[in-house]
Amino acid sequence: MPFSDPTGGFKCFRRRALTALDLKAVHSNGYSFQIEMTHKIWRQGLRVAEVPIIFTDRFQGRSKMSRKIVYEALWMVWRLWLQNGLRRRPRPATASTP
């Protein structure tokens, strides 16, 4: 995907983009949710606006990252690639007849 970070940042989706999705077909939680939503909207030829954010270094506490979260994010990338027919780009939109 042509995005600098599909797992982070602040993304803006128009209402039209969200209503174009079948939200019941969204399978992920956590960080992979951002990957899946960005990918599904991008595949439909809709725009995704990225707004960069800066995270400061953690001074105390523990990371929320777990092996399960990492596994889910990695699996989501492969799953979306398989759903897209092993293509790196979305299929060209076909003109629908009225």
Side-chain angles (χ1 to χ4, degrees):
M1 295 186 294
F3 304 104
S4 58
D5 185 2
T7 63
F10 183 78
K11 295 190 180 53
C12 299
F13 305 113
R14 292 187 186 267
R15 180 180 179 166
R16 181 173 65 96
L18 293 175
T19 57
L21 294 178
D22 177 11
L23 295 178
K24 292 179 181 177
V26 175
H27 300 286
S28 57
N29 293 309
Y31 295 106
S32 65
F33 174 79
Q34 294 181 56
I35 298 169
E36 185 175 10
M37 292 295 290
T38 302
H39 186 266
K40 287 180 180 288
I41 289 173
W42 171 71
R43 277 186 54 194
Q44 290 195 18
L46 301 170
R47 291 185 331 160
V48 177
E50 288 185 286
V51 180
I53 59 175
I54 298 173
F55 289 102
T56 58
D57 291 335
R58 183 183 308 273
F59 291 105
Q60 59 183 332
R62 301 189 80 169
S63 173
K64 297 182 288 182
M65 274 299 222
S66 67
R67 287 180 187 199
K68 180 181 181 225
I69 291 170
V70 172
Y71 172 76
E72 181 184 26
L74 288 172
W75 171 242
M76 181 54 61
V77 171
W78 285 99
R79 187 170 178 269
L80 293 171
W81 187 51
L82 292 169
Q83 282 180 353
N84 201 33
L86 308 177
R87 294 172 56 93
R88 292 183 144 204
R89 296 191 183 350
R91 287 187 169 87
T94 57
S96 59
T97 54

